[in-house]
Amino acid sequence: MRHFFVRHQPPHRPRIAMLAGLGGLAAIGVTGAFSLHAGVPLLMAPFGASCVLLFSVPGSPLSQPMNVVGGHVLSSAVAIALHMLLPGTWWAAALAVGLAITLMALLRVTHPPAGADPLLVFAADPNWSFLVMPVLVGSVSLVVIAAVFHRLTGTAYPLRAP
């Protein structure tokens, strides 16, 4: 039972932890301010979790631009399509989450926060324009902000192509 309570994540140096928090603050703050200024919604709850990956573990394959943008767009598209075909019930939302995970894995764009997108879609009942705003524009904004932030702080992001 003890192995459930072991922290496997290596410790962060305080400076790196502080930069991760500042990065998340900057990304959500800039995107939120732009959203308010433009009069269009660009934020959604799963983007907060995306910021954890983008700024706390920028070297992870799950944090890379294709995973962030592709994962959110794919998961949201799957959810919207299924929500149009199925009733707005718990089992339909569960099916959307499972299918989104399967497709993200097959297409190699796994981004764990995108697993929440189907739940958001089933709760909010958006139309296809949701894929553009907030999903596409918002996720691209987070990636661009992360790339600029990491360049300014001397952190390698995104990973270089093999």
Side-chain angles (χ1 to χ4, degrees):
M1 186 71 167
R2 189 177 57 140
H3 61 277
F4 282 100
F5 300 101
V6 173
R7 291 178 287 169
H8 295 282
Q9 181 179 349
H12 270 313
R13 293 189 314 260
R15 178 183 179 279
I16 301 300
M18 181 70 81
L19 284 175
L22 288 173
L25 171 77
I28 296 298
V30 168
T31 305
F34 181 68
S35 180
L36 184 64
H37 179 70
V40 293
L42 295 177
L43 288 177
M44 56 184 201
F47 286 169
S50 292
C51 285
V52 173
L53 290 174
L54 283 167
F55 296 99
S56 192
V57 285
S60 168
L62 304 175
S63 304
Q64 300 313 300
M66 185 63 185
N67 294 69
V68 175
V69 177
H72 279 298
V73 170
L74 178 65
S75 293
S76 295
V78 164
I80 293 169
L82 286 180
H83 191 48
M84 294 175 95
L85 298 172
L86 301 172
T89 60
W90 63 266
W91 63 265
L95 178 64
V97 169
L99 184 56
I101 291 169
T102 299
L103 292 174
M104 282 192 289
L106 287 172
L107 296 174
R108 297 182 307 141
V109 293
T110 300
H111 184 63
D117 294 357
L119 299 176
L120 177 62
V121 166
F122 272 77
D125 191 29
N127 59 30
W128 284 104
S129 66
F130 182 78
L131 279 181
V132 176
M133 282 195 261
V135 177
L136 178 63
V137 175
S139 60
V140 167
S141 296
L142 294 180
V143 166
V144 168
I145 293 164
V148 170
F149 183 86
H150 287 307
R151 180 169 293 247
L152 293 173
T153 60
T155 304
Y157 181 82
L159 294 175
R160 299 289 173 217

